[in-house]
Amino acid sequence: MDYSKEEPTDLMNSNGKIFVVMTVVVVIVIGLFIYLIHLDRKIKKLEKGETDKT
Amino acid sequence: MFKSWWWKILSFVLLIYTCTYGFLVKIPVLDGRMQQTVRNLFFHVPMWFCMQTLFIVSIIYAIRFLANPKPVYDTYSLEFARTGLVFGILGLITGAIWANYQWGKPWSGDPKQNGAAIALLIYLAYFVLRGSVTDESKRARLSAVYNIFAFAMLFPTIWILPRLTESLHPGGQGSQGNPGLNPNDTTPAMESVFLPAIIGWILLGVWISTLRIRLQNYKEKILSRA
């Protein structure tokens, strides 16, 4: 079936499906940042435990 | 400063903006030369800006270490160089992917490709040097001196030599000066994505570096107590 000749019916299929790539990239960036925030908070916890003892 | 969140949130906002509007912004047609790949300006080019910035921070701390040998300056210098190298490698890989479709093969020995590869190898040797010295204060001093040399080598390999010859890079023909992208090709709309992209990626690089620095400082504190 040739989808390319059909009229795009929704946002994700319009504009040569560029929004699909955009969503993928956004998910990657969000995931990366969640991971970094997690790391940051973990290190902060370590540092805090450190200052509590001294 | 390290631990405040505002610049990390700023980095997130700028990168989300880059990764959405970067795909939607209207690009010039440029007689079909680059087509949609001109959007690499928002992703590939900021890698090099980020690398350059992180290397500048790294050399600043190397100089500060030589002036005042505090071990923490050495840690700063090391971790910023490390993240800078990661961004440099990402720049090289993303460039090769783009070149595969734009120039026909991933590696064409373009002066900019060769120069960047040499520069990265010189920085790789920084880590080899560090690994080969066991005495801590000697390692810190030697690597600070080498860091200055490595940074100095960025000038011929990235800034000067590739600009003296023609390059396949956009804007590299004849006397255009090879800036990486012909300024006549960028529209103001593209620059409105490009500049936030640079800042966003740089902040991300700084964030990753500071995480490693904090971890390293923590480790050293634990070790010094044991």
Side-chain angles (χ1 to χ4, degrees):
Chain A
M1 223 208 295
D2 190 5
Y3 287 101
S4 61
K5 291 209 178 85
E6 281 176 24
E7 270 295 297
T9 45
D10 62 352
L11 181 74
M12 292 305 263
N13 280 314
S14 64
N15 250 330
K17 295 184 184 167
I18 189 73
F19 292 104
V20 178
V21 185
M22 200 184 89
T23 313
V24 167
V25 173
V26 168
V27 167
I28 290 174
V29 169
I30 290 175
L32 202 75
F33 270 85
I34 289 173
Y35 179 61
L36 276 179
I37 290 166
H38 185 73
L39 261 180
D40 197 308
R41 292 179 58 180
K42 223 172 183 168
I43 292 173
K44 193 171 264 173
K45 250 183 217 158
L46 276 178
E47 286 168 336
K48 268 209 184 120
E50 160 74 29
T51 45
D52 284 349
K53 274 178 216 158
T54 44
Chain B
M1 178 66 198
F2 264 26
K3 288 167 195 170
S4 60
W5 281 97
W6 65 267
W7 57 275
K8 295 165 187 170
I9 296 166
L10 179 67
S11 165
F12 179 73
V13 171
L14 289 177
L15 285 185
I16 288 293
Y17 168 75
T18 305
C19 294
T20 49
Y21 197 50
F23 285 104
L24 306 175
V25 64
K26 221 171 146 35
I27 50 163
V29 177
L30 303 176
D31 35 279
R33 262 183 289 138
M34 284 187 277
Q35 299 174 28
Q36 299 288 341
T37 73
V38 78
R39 294 184 198 278
N40 249 9
L41 178 72
F42 314 135
F43 304 101
H44 163 70
V45 184
M47 293 296 116
W48 298 109
F49 279 75
C50 184
M51 179 198 82
Q52 184 66 43
T53 311
L54 295 176
F55 282 169
I56 288 172
V57 178
S58 179
I59 192 192
I60 287 173
Y61 279 102
I63 292 169
R64 285 187 76 176
F65 178 85
L66 289 176
N68 177 14
K70 277 192 194 165
V72 66
Y73 291 157
D74 182 49
T75 310
Y76 277 50
S77 192
L78 166 66
E79 298 303 348
F80 275 99
R82 201 196 296 273
T83 321
L85 189 67
V86 170
F87 275 89
I89 292 169
L90 285 176
L92 220 51
I93 294 172
T94 52
I97 294 170
W98 177 79
N100 195 26
Y101 299 99
Q102 200 63 32
W103 302 341
K105 45 189 173 180
W107 200 274
S108 336
D110 181 70
K112 275 213 154 177
Q113 283 186 322
N114 286 343
I118 294 167
L120 289 183
L121 284 173
I122 290 171
Y123 266 93
L124 267 178
Y126 173 76
F127 297 94
V128 175
L129 176 74
R130 290 193 73 95
S132 62
V133 185
T134 44
D135 183 74
E136 266 178 38
S137 64
K138 197 184 266 176
R139 175 174 62 209
R141 206 146 40 90
L142 269 176
S143 53
V145 173
Y146 184 81
N147 194 315
I148 295 170
F149 166 75
F151 187 83
M153 282 305 285
L154 286 178
F155 287 90
T157 54
I158 288 184
W159 294 106
I160 302 171
L161 289 180
R163 285 168 188 249
L164 294 180
T165 49
E166 285 214 349
S167 165
L168 292 164
H169 266 88
Q173 284 77 41
S175 59
Q176 286 175 323
N178 187 15
L181 186 69
N182 190 339
N184 300 328
D185 289 353
T186 47
T187 60
M190 281 172 72
E191 263 158 34
S192 74
V193 184
F194 183 42
L195 295 179
I198 293 174
I199 300 168
W201 289 111
I202 287 176
L203 287 177
L204 181 71
V206 173
W207 187 5
I208 297 170
S209 311
T210 58
L211 283 180
R212 289 199 62 113
I213 290 166
R214 284 163 64 185
L215 192 64
Q216 197 64 31
N217 286 344
Y218 174 76
K219 258 161 77 183
E220 263 156 37
K221 254 184 209 162
I222 294 289
L223 279 176
S224 67
R225 202 188 300 150

